[in-house]
Amino acid sequence: MGALAEGHSVQARAALAPAVQSPWVCSGCARVGVGAGCGPALPPEAALPLARPRPGPGPAEPRRWRPGGIGPPASCGSCSGPGECGGRGAGGDPPPPREPGRPPRLRRPRSPAGPVFLPFIGRCRQRGGGEADRSLGGSPHAPRQRWPPAGRLRDPPVCRGRGPGLCRQAAAGQGCRCPSHCHTYSQVPERPILGNTDYAFEMAVSNIRYGEGVTKEVGMDLQNLGARRVCLMTDKNLSQLPPVNAVLNSLAKYGINFQMYDNVRVEPTDQSFLDAIKFAKKGEFDAYVAVGGGSVMDTCKAANLYASSPTSAFLDYVNAPIGKGKPVTVPLKPLIAVPTTAGTGSETTGVAIFDFKELKVKTGIASRAIKPTLGIIDPLHTLSMPERVVANSGFDVLCHALESYTALPYNMRSPCPSNPINRPAYQGSNPISDVWALHALRIVAKYLKRAIRNPEDREARANMHLASAFAGIGFGNAGVHLCHGMSYPISGLVKTYKAKDYNVDHSLVPHGLSVVLTSPAVFAFTAQIHPERHLEAAEILGADIRTARIKDAGFILADTLRKFLFDLNVDDGLAAIGYSKADIPALVKGTLPQERVTKLSPRPQTEEDLSALFEASMKLY
């Protein structure tokens, strides 16, 4: 190739190396630039390898671009043609004079490594006029042309004017606009996105720590965080039980200053959220610990959020259309969640659910920003759970897994967010959530019945505790759909029903029960879309599908669920918990605002469809 003259720049040396991406060459000053400006002038022998040799004797002739060919503007405006730069080019005869008004010829650089493939939209300043660059070859020096041509990229031409010294404009300190001298590159046009569906998903999950007796480390965690004033949240029933005592002992051992709030409501309401938020704002805490089930953890998430954003109105972060659904942009305090039930998976998610009393529906807050900093899963805490609490918590795990696995795929969900911060927590089924959902479903099939029937079966209860977290990771990013969307008015419109084993002073349909009662009807309805997934779920739950037809997937899964629930003594449908057909319009009305989840159903639904699903759920067996 020929040695470079003494003092040539690093850019020039790198540009001539075959292994390095081919450089831009400015024929105006015969110098090489690789995004950092020109180097000193190259001798003719160094510049020759960049020209395209021709057969036979004689000096190499640069490959020329014919007038009217495809290319960017014919001139960079700094050295607009022969004689403008004051002399000959490096290693060649001066070009013939050009006709008045005719653009200068162009040549494109070649390198020993082959053609140059650098997408570049040419930019040109009108010589002497200083006008702004015109689009894609629209300068007065060349006809309007398209660059690059559709379907392929070509190495870019450069101006043909040559001279031994610096380009006139560069020498004057004005900054040459050709690719060799300028540092500004035009952006390659983005490929248009067809439709308005999303094209990406992301996984967000709390840190998880698992092990028997691991609750004793809570005090050390808070000490490591430098927490000086801690809020401990729980409910009145748990405040006297071993899980809370274990946390209190750890806080005392490591000298953590804390205040306890034990007024959390089982199945919280907007008012119970507001009471906890008021306590959090007054306490000015720098860390939170939630010990309990989903109600406690969700209440603590809300308290942390609004205490960290004290000027926000309550509905600012509540899901639309009930609230404004604003993205959470404020930093929150650390939150450690210690679940005592095996169902909600709230220790892994950025969701907080509550009853909105004014509309008599459930809604919530959904944002990755409110997920706990750490979830401590201690299977010893599940040993004190009563039978029906174990059952209803397990039903929540079951539906989390089934709904997230059968949800609308993430790349079919619309609209596509304009900013990643607006991508919802519930994004649709995706390959990572699928793994967690199926694993959780297999654990439920194997261990739920054992965990309900034998409180001393530590293996079964420990595995269900893990399954709750696994399903939480799955649905916390994929989402749930109709079972949960329809469950919110079932819980919110409860009349006189009080579930067994729940020590509360108000009517209550446990969340897991309200979800599972509609599951047979829902999955018979949604199986028209992705029936193979419904059939796979039925097989995991014990169905024999060797002779099953794919079109019967929904009915097979529905029958499998009915048998599963019947074996576990679940109430016989919505009628058994106080509802009748006369309540269906109100139940449908309460479901319609749950767009956050109902739109993730793989099969769209109308009000008539929802009415039929509620009616089919009045009796199960």
Side-chain angles (χ1 to χ4, degrees):
M1 178 180 292
L4 293 175
E6 184 70 16
H8 283 153
S9 66
V10 175
Q11 294 94 328
R13 295 173 183 273
L16 294 175
V20 179
Q21 190 179 46
S22 301
W24 287 96
V25 181
C26 178
S27 297
C29 58
R31 304 196 177 193
V32 180
V34 191
C38 293
L42 300 180
E45 63 271 18
L48 282 176
L50 296 176
R52 181 182 182 188
R54 66 180 180 181
E61 173 67 13
R63 181 174 179 178
R64 304 181 188 278
W65 285 79
R66 302 302 178 192
I70 297 175
S75 171
C76 71
S78 302
C79 41
S80 57
E84 293 290 344
C85 293
R88 299 167 178 267
D93 296 329
R98 61 188 165 117
E99 301 171 7
R102 180 177 179 177
R105 291 183 174 180
L106 304 173
R107 82 173 180 184
R108 57 178 181 179
R110 307 288 291 186
S111 75
V116 180
F117 291 100
L118 290 177
F120 183 83
I121 306 293
R123 308 181 73 179
C124 182
R125 285 185 180 275
Q126 183 179 2
R127 180 169 172 256
E131 293 183 7
D133 296 348
R134 304 194 182 184
S135 62
L136 300 183
S139 79
H141 300 115
R144 187 179 183 91
Q145 298 160 354
R146 184 180 178 199
W147 179 266
R152 59 195 179 113
L153 296 176
R154 305 184 70 175
D155 41 340
V158 296
C159 62
R160 186 179 170 358
R162 312 182 226 182
L166 286 174
C167 290
R168 181 182 59 193
Q169 191 168 348
Q174 299 174 13
C176 177
R177 300 297 295 177
C178 69
S180 295
H181 297 116
C182 73
H183 294 213
T184 303
Y185 292 87
S186 299
Q187 184 179 8
V188 177
E190 295 183 1
R191 182 175 60 184
I193 299 175
L194 300 178
N196 194 31
T197 57
D198 209 340
Y199 59 93
F201 70 92
E202 60 182 275
M203 298 297 292
V205 63
S206 308
N207 293 323
I208 297 297
R209 185 182 302 155
Y210 174 86
E212 288 193 7
V214 74
T215 306
K216 65 184 178 184
E217 297 181 357
V218 170
M220 285 186 281
D221 289 320
L222 293 168
Q223 193 177 68
N224 295 338
L225 290 169
R228 298 181 178 180
R229 190 173 177 84
V230 176
C231 174
L232 171 62
M233 284 200 176
T234 188
D235 63 48
K236 292 190 180 298
N237 292 327
L238 279 167
S239 61
Q240 306 299 321
L241 294 178
V244 173
N245 290 334
V247 172
L248 292 175
N249 291 338
S250 182
L251 297 181
K253 181 178 179 179
Y254 293 97
I256 303 299
N257 179 31
F258 71 92
Q259 286 186 311
M260 186 163 73
Y261 180 83
D262 63 358
N263 201 32
V264 172
R265 189 181 193 270
V266 178
E267 300 298 334
T269 65
D270 51 337
Q271 186 57 53
S272 72
F273 266 20
L274 289 169
D275 291 342
I277 291 167
K278 181 179 179 180
F279 180 84
K281 287 181 177 179
K282 183 178 179 180
E284 297 182 346
F285 302 108
D286 56 11
Y288 294 81
V289 178
V291 186
S295 297
V296 174
M297 290 184 279
D298 289 1
T299 300
C300 197
K301 291 175 189 177
N304 187 10
L305 170 60
Y306 288 97
S308 301
S309 182
T311 59
S312 298
F314 181 68
L315 290 179
D316 281 354
Y317 298 120
V318 174
N319 298 325
I322 294 174
K324 297 179 180 179
K326 291 183 177 180
V328 178
T329 57
V330 296
L332 272 64
K333 301 296 190 294
L335 191 162
I336 298 176
V338 186
T340 59
T341 60
T344 65
S346 187
E347 68 276 9
T348 69
T349 72
V351 179
I353 303 298
F354 65 93
D355 283 320
F356 193 64
K357 285 298 187 181
E358 182 179 343
L359 298 179
K360 295 185 178 180
V361 295
K362 275 192 180 248
T363 185
I365 303 164
S367 170
R368 298 177 188 87
I370 69 171
K371 70 180 185 300
T373 310
L374 172 65
I376 293 183
I377 302 176
D378 189 339
L380 295 179
H381 298 333
T382 64
L383 299 179
S384 58
M385 290 170 60
E387 175 188 324
R388 298 322 298 174
V389 176
V390 175
N392 293 324
S393 299
F395 298 149
D396 202 15
V397 178
L398 171 66
C399 289
H400 284 158
L402 286 173
E403 289 176 74
S404 64
Y405 187 59
T406 59
L408 186 77
Y410 75 94
N411 55 4
M412 294 178 65
R413 176 184 50 77
S414 62
C416 180
S418 58
N419 187 308
I421 197 173
N422 296 321
R423 182 166 284 117
Y426 288 178
Q427 303 162 88
S429 61
N430 60 78
I432 300 178
S433 290
D434 289 350
V435 173
W436 293 103
L438 288 177
H439 190 45
L441 192 60
R442 292 187 179 97
I443 295 176
V444 169
K446 183 176 181 179
Y447 289 109
L448 180 55
K449 292 180 181 180
R450 286 172 51 181
I452 294 171
R453 292 166 178 167
N454 183 5
E456 301 301 321
D457 191 336
R458 296 173 70 128
E459 179 189 7
R461 293 210 167 186
N463 274 280
M464 283 304 301
H465 211 180
L466 273 177
S468 174
F470 295 161
I473 296 171
F475 92 86
N477 294 281
V480 288
H481 52 84
L482 288 179
C483 292
H484 272 75
M486 295 169 66
S487 78
Y488 297 146
I490 294 173
S491 295
L493 297 173
V494 61
K495 300 175 182 178
T496 59
Y497 182 82
K498 288 187 179 181
K500 181 183 177 183
D501 291 337
Y502 287 81
N503 184 18
V504 293
D505 59 359
H506 54 273
S507 300
L508 172 68
V509 178
H511 175 63
L513 179 61
S514 68
V515 167
V516 82
L517 289 177
T518 60
S519 62
V522 164
F523 292 112
F525 173 78
T526 60
Q528 289 187 13
I529 313 297
H530 301 306
E532 69 284 351
R533 291 197 168 213
H534 292 70
L535 205 58
E536 183 181 3
E539 183 181 25
I540 292 173
L541 293 174
D544 183 355
I545 64 168
R546 289 175 295 181
T547 60
R549 297 180 299 177
I550 195 71
K551 66 179 183 179
D552 295 330
F555 300 111
I556 293 171
L557 179 54
D559 288 342
T560 303
L561 286 168
R562 288 190 184 93
K563 183 178 183 303
F564 192 84
L565 300 179
F566 182 80
D567 290 345
L568 294 174
N569 300 316
V570 175
D571 297 276
D572 187 12
L574 298 179
I577 62 173
Y579 289 103
S580 66
K581 290 184 179 181
D583 298 309
I584 290 178
L587 292 170
V588 171
K589 183 179 178 181
T591 303
L592 294 177
Q594 312 301 330
E595 295 177 359
R596 178 181 61 95
V597 293
T598 57
K599 71 179 182 181
L600 290 175
S601 169
R603 180 181 173 185
Q605 68 286 159
T606 63
E607 291 188 36
E608 291 73 20
D609 292 329
L610 292 174
S611 296
L613 290 174
F614 278 116
E615 184 173 358
S617 301
M618 286 294 167
K619 285 188 67 69
L620 294 182
Y621 318 122

